[in-house]
Amino acid sequence: MKKYVYMFAEGNAGMKNLLGGKGSNLAEMTRLGLPVPQGFTITTEACNEYYDAGGVLTAEMEEQIFKSMAEMEILTGKVFGDLKNPLLVSVRSGARASMPGMMDTVLNLGLNDEVVEVLAKETGNPRFAYDSYRRFITMFGDVVMEIDKEHFDAAMDEIKERSGALSDNDLDSDDMKEITKTFLKIYEEIQGEPFPQDPKEQLISSITAVFRSWNNFRAVYYRRMHNIPGSWGTAVNVQEMVYGNLGETSGTGVAFSRNPATGENKLYGEYLMNAQGEDVVAGIRTPVPISHLHEQMPEIYNEFQNIADRLEHHYGDMQDLEFTIEKGKLFILQTRSGKRTAMAALQVAVDMVAEGIAGKEEALSRIDPNSLDALLHPAFKPEALAKADVIATGLPASPGAAAGEIAFTAEEAFAAHEAGKKVLLVRTETSPEDIQGMNVSEGILTSRGGMTSHAAVVARGMGTPCITGSTASQIDEKTKTLTIKGKAYTSGDWISIDGTTGNVYAGQIETQPAEISDNFATIMQWSDDIRQLGIRTNADTPTDAEKARELGAEGIGLCRTEHMFFGEDRIFAFRQMIVARNEVDRRKALAKILPVQQDDFENIYRSMDGLPVTIRLLDPPLHEFLPTNEKEIIELAAELAMTHEALKGIITELHETNPMLGHRGCRLAISYPEIAEMQTEAILRAAIVVKREGVKVFPEIMVPLVSEVKELTFLKKVILDTAERIFKDAGERVEFEVGTMIEIPRACITADAIAKEADFFSFGTNDLTQMGYGLSRDDAGQILTAYYKEGIFEFDPTSHIDRDGVGVLMEMATGKARKTKPQMHLGICGEHGGDPVSIEFCHLLGFDYVSCSPFRVPIARLSAAQAEIAYPNKDKKILVGS
Ligand code: PEP
Ligand code: MG
């Protein structure tokens, strides 16, 4: 019989795929002999089979679950549903990848009308017993039966108001009894049947609900954001309850082994005495810093510190722990590697290597390359900041500066973002339902909650600046007003926040680029020492090229020459060239373009002194450069000194049904070789000029959109003939190469033939993906919405190189190219060149380099090192289709 359920003692940290992150770590801690409440884990495979079976637990699963319950009863000496010594459990999700708050949890399971009385007697604390029962009814109603929580919250508020209680803590045992009664009534009214009294029924329904929550909206959305496949499924953990709300010697909290915002090596977290875990996370009461525990319960604090240290050493990484103190005894409920800001990630990595907890490779592997982006995020300009007034403060939950127009709900934020606005989400507290709105916001401000509240944790994960617990910010979500010191701000008003200091400002403060720390330099140096891939950049202007070099680029992998003409002052000559109807007019326009291009190339070569520069011949999908509305057409006609009708006629003539498959790429230069001649001239003349200044220059001329080797043969001749003319004219030569983009499926299939004519290949995975899938780069959005809905795609298939399809084409082309020319250099210049998962694939294919936008260069450096660490035998392993 297949094993669907593992007792904690049967698992270990290596079983993450089967037991989920939480389950495997609980098992590992159990093995280490740490104080973990007993329990068992139902596997991710069971989750998948639950779905295969149409959303039910199979008889085999149920049998194993009850068998494990019986084992738990022996281990704990308590009995499920017993009226003497009842066992109460929690039922919690736990996927392979951490998905904080995205799925559902049920606590205090096993309570019913009779057991609650036993619990009241046993603990001598009826208030606690009924508080636990009413929480259970709410969670069971909400999670399992999908009863809107509002119903329970409203009833609770009513009773609080009636008894004059300010917070839940002011309610006494009679109040709690009354609340429980009311909740049971609400449940029965809405559900049409009484609250289930059989603990076994409660258990099976709750496990089912947690499996079901794997596919709730927020979990699916979170997975799409983080590219987590739905096929992983979630595990479910059933664990004995321990209580932090049993009085003043009980408490609960969450703590990181180091500071997750800065990386400082000091316990960092919060706790609340006489509270349940959800109170801390949900921001209902404001928790106390963990350092206070040192004074309040020094022994417990020391024990906790020792456990945190031990786990750090054991896992070689900073830990994020959940704990409960039940009547003076410490329990660890969870450990996982702690989410941290980019700044903290670097600090922790550098410190852990220095402390001998982790080796360089291990430390590097733990840094999320995408998080480096946050380090390169803007801060406020000091001059602008000096003029700004702090109107409120809060906890610095996630660093970085942000300014935006206020939105009070996730929906409002999303709509404003769609309308092209910069949004700042302002909420009393956030909940997982807000995920979509949080994702599109520049920053997040909440009036409640601590450093580990939902808003804080999620914002840090996203690299979005965030301030929590800003109590001076009074937020009324109903009337959509934020009141600070008597002044009201409403939707659309600008505010600015600094997530590093916790300061809130009125208005829009200008920002400036981030400064790079010593730790950053250290991590980059370690990455460079390890990686095998070269890192180039896609840069079209001298400014971009300089920025990229500063960030570590080792050359330019793609200079899109048409992008040099986006500027107002240049577009004219370019448009003139496009609309020219004969060679004479075209050459006239090209003659205007030549000096502008040559000048840009000179500056690019200077900033890339000593490094290769790949310049691509014109590849303008023409429609991107022509005016579309009547007003612009009239203006352009006047500029070009032609009649409106004549220009309209040309535009109509140039109109293509499929411009992306139309007159672009090398096709343009084949129709009009003078374009390739002019560009070759600009490229080589610029090279000669800077060479004379002493700059070391290595131009690589790249032909785009080749699908047939003869296209390249033709243009190569144009390029080489032009080169000879220029060299003769200048009385000097420069070394250069001629290569091609590989971005059409047919080019991959015929790569052996194309390689004969090319000095290098650069994979254009934007077009290759577009044409591989037959999915338009410009119009995919709408299609994807339907595909997500139907579950055909879980996330944007273009976000990583598709190893099963497009990747196979790339592997084929690589193999064929290397067969023709073993030493031929290969790279990638599509957007995937800056995506960690795709960079790993390029490493596996044995590419020479990846090329990405300037700000992604550090991400690429680290990703390339991580790829080498994970797959050091790059020449032996090609993982297509995995
Ligand atoms: C590509 O197609 O991947 C590429 C780099 O070219 P472009 O995006 O300019 O079409
Ligand atoms: Mg392309």
Side-chain angles (χ1 to χ4, degrees):
M1 194 162 65
K2 190 162 178 181
K3 193 166 166 62
Y4 293 108
V5 184
Y6 288 75
M7 300 303 293
F8 289 166
E10 292 178 297
N12 62 57
M15 295 167 76
K16 204 166 171 177
N17 294 358
L18 189 64
L19 303 180
K22 187 180 289 166
S24 60
N25 285 333
L26 282 167
E28 188 75 9
M29 288 195 290
T30 305
R31 262 178 7 103
L32 291 174
L34 298 181
V36 174
Q38 289 304 316
F40 56 84
T41 305
I42 307 157
T43 64
T44 53
E45 282 178 4
C47 178
N48 286 333
E49 290 186 30
Y50 154 90
Y51 278 106
D52 291 344
V56 285
L57 299 182
T58 63
E60 267 177 40
M61 290 178 201
E62 288 199 15
E63 193 187 322
Q64 292 187 31
I65 289 167
F66 289 123
K67 199 168 145 256
S68 305
M69 272 317 275
E71 277 187 53
M72 232 173 119
E73 290 177 342
I74 296 169
L75 287 170
T76 58
K78 296 179 182 173
V79 179
F80 199 41
D82 192 40
L83 294 184
K84 277 197 210 100
N85 192 13
L87 172 63
L88 301 179
V89 297
S90 64
V91 176
R92 304 170 83 188
S93 61
R96 204 195 286 195
S98 143
M99 295 170 57
M102 296 303 137
M103 288 176 286
D104 291 327
T105 291
V106 180
L107 302 177
N108 308 336
L109 191 146
L111 281 172
N112 59 26
D113 295 352
E114 290 177 320
V115 173
V116 70
E117 283 296 332
V118 181
L119 188 66
K121 252 189 238 128
E122 194 188 68
T123 56
N125 190 341
R127 186 197 179 280
F128 156 75
Y130 280 93
D131 186 22
S132 303
Y133 194 21
R134 66 99 194 165
R135 287 175 195 256
F136 174 44
I137 298 163
T138 312
M139 277 192 244
F140 189 89
D142 174 26
V143 169
V144 182
M145 297 303 173
E146 295 172 2
I147 298 174
D148 194 339
K149 236 174 107 229
E150 276 288 301
H151 293 291
F152 299 112
D153 290 346
M156 182 86 173
D157 286 345
E158 205 184 297
I159 292 169
K160 268 205 259 182
E161 206 170 85
R162 217 181 318 133
S163 59
L166 290 177
S167 82
D168 297 4
N169 274 8
D170 300 328
L171 297 166
D172 63 19
S173 61
D174 286 342
D175 293 329
M176 283 298 177
K177 256 189 206 169
E178 191 192 338
I179 288 164
T180 306
K181 242 199 208 148
T182 312
F183 279 18
L184 285 168
K185 219 157 81 208
I186 292 174
Y187 181 95
E188 188 165 351
E189 264 164 27
I190 295 176
Q191 216 38 48
E193 59 187 19
F195 187 76
Q197 295 293 308
D198 177 6
K200 287 189 172 167
E201 184 190 334
Q202 294 171 356
L203 181 67
I204 294 301
S205 311
S206 298
I207 293 170
T208 308
V210 174
F211 278 156
R212 195 171 61 219
S213 73
W214 175 248
N215 275 339
N216 70 27
F217 168 77
R218 48 182 207 264
V220 172
Y221 186 77
Y222 187 92
R223 288 206 294 273
R224 192 173 306 145
M225 265 167 62
H226 296 272
N227 293 311
I228 298 169
S231 61
W232 283 3
T234 183
V236 177
N237 298 291
V238 177
Q239 191 175 24
E240 184 190 0
M241 284 297 303
V242 283
Y243 287 96
N245 52 343
L246 272 174
E248 289 315 312
T249 56
S250 299
T252 186
V254 282
F256 293 82
S257 54
R258 298 176 191 232
N259 186 317
T262 64
E264 188 192 2
N265 186 4
K266 198 168 153 216
L267 270 190
Y268 185 89
E270 296 157 329
Y271 71 105
L272 275 172
M273 291 313 278
N274 202 7
Q276 268 203 320
E278 50 169 344
D279 300 339
V280 180
V281 180
I284 291 166
R285 279 162 58 194
T286 300
V288 187
I290 189 91
S291 51
H292 282 223
L293 189 63
H294 191 36
E295 287 132 47
Q296 203 167 7
M297 296 181 115
E299 275 172 28
I300 296 280
Y301 181 88
N302 290 338
E303 187 185 353
F304 184 74
Q305 174 78 69
N306 288 339
I307 289 173
D309 286 348
R310 194 162 159 208
L311 287 171
E312 261 203 356
H313 276 86
H314 186 72
Y315 286 104
D317 195 15
M318 163 186 152
Q319 297 296 298
D320 167 3
L321 297 132
E322 264 180 41
F323 65 94
T324 285
I325 307 160
E326 187 184 80
K327 292 190 173 163
K329 178 164 171 36
L330 176 68
F331 291 95
I332 307 294
L333 300 185
Q334 170 165 348
T335 192
R336 59 184 170 193
S337 96
K339 288 216 188 302
R340 61 206 85 174
T341 62
M343 195 213 281
L346 301 188
Q347 188 68 51
V348 169
V350 170
D351 286 350
M352 284 204 162
V353 171
E355 292 160 23
I357 295 179
K360 274 186 197 171
E361 298 199 341
E362 195 181 3
L364 279 185
S365 303
R366 305 231 187 265
I367 305 171
D368 171 9
N370 285 320
S371 76
L372 296 181
D373 222 14
L375 287 179
L376 310 167
H377 274 334
F380 290 130
K381 279 196 171 156
E383 321 84 78
L385 191 61
K387 288 189 220 130
D389 283 328
V390 177
I391 52 170
T393 58
L395 301 171
S398 179
E405 297 183 31
I406 297 177
F408 287 93
T409 63
E411 295 74 44
E412 198 183 342
F414 195 72
H417 172 76
E418 292 281 286
K421 293 184 176 158
K422 285 192 185 309
V423 193
L424 213 130
L425 184 64
V426 173
R427 307 223 1 104
T428 16
E429 63 207 6
T430 63
S431 72
E433 277 90 76
D434 296 332
I435 187 83
Q436 207 174 10
M438 295 170 80
N439 190 33
V440 299
S441 296
E442 304 294 312
I444 299 161
L445 169 70
T446 70
S447 54
R448 288 202 211 146
M451 291 292 281
T452 47
S453 65
H454 179 265
V457 172
V458 174
R460 270 203 296 275
M462 289 174 172
T464 302
C466 175
I467 295 176
T468 56
S470 174
T471 43
S473 306
Q474 290 165 14
I475 297 162
D476 187 333
E477 280 159 3
K478 283 213 185 84
T479 60
K480 299 202 166 172
T481 40
L482 161 69
T483 312
I484 300 174
K485 292 185 193 151
K487 186 169 165 23
Y489 302 82
T490 185
S491 299
D493 287 348
W494 279 86
I495 57 165
S496 303
I497 61 165
D498 187 337
T500 316
T501 59
N503 290 338
V504 183
Y505 306 87
Q508 180 185 12
I509 307 175
E510 250 189 290
T511 53
Q512 68 174 24
E515 274 178 36
I516 289 168
S517 72
D518 289 351
N519 287 337
F520 183 85
T522 307
I523 294 298
M524 286 296 114
Q525 187 57 54
W526 292 353
S527 301
D528 292 349
D529 292 344
I530 291 170
R531 69 183 159 87
Q532 297 296 312
L533 278 168
I535 311 294
R536 296 199 194 180
T537 190
N538 294 357
D540 313 320
T541 63
T543 323
D544 282 358
E546 263 161 47
K547 181 83 220 164
R549 183 146 199 192
E550 212 179 284
L551 293 172
E554 298 162 316
I556 289 182
L558 173 62
C559 173
R560 290 178 167 102
T561 47
E562 62 276 8
H563 284 190
M564 294 173 153
F565 290 93
F566 278 138
E568 280 281 315
D569 51 332
R570 297 164 167 214
I571 190 98
F572 175 66
F574 196 73
R575 283 174 163 169
Q576 216 174 12
M577 192 271 297
I578 291 175
V579 301
R581 290 297 84 192
N582 57 59
E583 193 180 328
V584 175
D585 285 353
R586 197 171 305 109
R587 281 195 186 274
K588 250 197 234 159
L590 286 168
K592 284 189 205 152
I593 293 175
L594 175 73
V596 180
Q597 289 229 304
Q598 184 178 329
D599 192 53
D600 276 356
F601 292 149
E602 285 171 21
N603 285 325
I604 287 175
Y605 291 145
R606 287 184 189 111
S607 56
M608 286 288 153
D609 187 359
L611 299 173
V613 175
T614 308
I615 297 169
R616 184 174 74 180
L617 298 186
L618 276 180
D619 175 18
L622 295 182
H623 64 297
E624 286 179 12
F625 287 85
L626 286 171
T628 46
N629 66 45
E630 205 58 20
K631 188 168 161 274
E632 280 180 1
I633 295 173
I634 293 169
E635 279 171 13
L636 182 64
E639 275 178 26
L640 295 172
M642 56 170 57
T643 65
H644 177 223
E645 282 68 38
L647 179 59
K648 265 196 110 163
I650 291 172
I651 292 176
T652 312
E653 205 181 298
L654 286 175
H655 173 82
E656 292 175 309
T657 311
N658 286 322
M660 272 294 187
L661 300 180
H663 206 189
R664 57 177 287 227
C666 64
R667 297 158 193 179
L668 211 56
I670 288 169
S671 304
Y672 313 122
E674 55 274 19
I675 297 177
E677 282 172 32
M678 180 283 288
Q679 291 207 291
T680 304
E681 183 166 350
I683 292 166
L684 296 179
R685 284 204 192 277
I688 292 167
V689 169
V690 298
K691 191 179 164 203
R692 286 179 181 154
E693 294 167 11
V695 172
K696 288 202 176 67
V697 48
F698 303 101
E700 298 175 348
I701 300 176
M702 180 153 77
V703 178
L705 223 70
V706 162
S707 60
E708 157 59 46
V709 64
K710 287 183 195 142
E711 292 171 321
L712 183 60
T713 313
F714 176 89
L715 285 175
K716 194 172 165 186
K717 182 164 178 342
V718 173
I719 294 165
L720 295 182
D721 287 352
T722 308
E724 284 313 314
R725 177 168 60 79
I726 306 295
F727 294 156
K728 206 161 152 207
D729 184 42
E732 185 165 358
R733 304 184 73 84
V734 281
E735 289 300 313
F736 71 101
E737 291 189 346
V738 180
T740 180
M741 302 272 295
I742 298 290
E743 51 184 344
I744 292 185
R746 191 176 189 279
C748 294
I749 296 162
T750 60
D752 43 353
I754 297 175
K756 288 197 185 117
E757 293 286 355
D759 296 322
F760 63 88
F761 278 176
S762 178
F763 285 84
T765 47
N766 303 336
D767 273 310
L768 194 58
T769 303
Q770 165 172 259
M771 296 188 215
Y773 270 101
L775 185 65
S776 161
R777 284 162 71 165
D778 301 324
D779 308 308
Q782 266 184 347
I783 301 163
L784 290 183
T785 310
Y787 275 46
Y788 293 150
K789 196 165 148 257
E790 296 307 328
I792 294 170
F793 290 153
E794 288 180 80
F795 33 77
D796 185 346
T798 64
S799 56
H800 305 310
I801 288 171
D802 151 49
R803 294 190 189 188
D804 297 330
V806 177
V808 177
L809 287 170
M810 292 171 72
E811 187 190 13
M812 181 194 290
T814 304
K816 283 173 179 261
R818 293 255 191 250
K819 210 165 180 187
T820 303
K821 277 192 189 151
Q823 300 312 320
M824 177 168 179
H825 57 259
L826 303 174
I828 177 177
C829 62
E831 284 308 302
H832 302 98
D835 165 53
V837 181
S838 306
I839 291 170
E840 180 187 274
F841 184 68
C842 295
H843 169 84
L844 292 169
L845 289 182
F847 279 10
D848 298 274
Y849 68 87
V850 297
S851 187
C852 58
S853 56
F855 278 98
R856 299 182 93 183
V857 165
I859 297 176
R861 289 162 80 186
L862 175 58
S863 302
Q866 290 182 344
E868 171 64 19
I869 293 165
Y871 300 102
N873 292 326
K874 64 165 185 166
D875 293 333
K876 291 187 200 137
K877 272 188 183 163
I878 292 185
L879 293 186
V880 167
S882 62

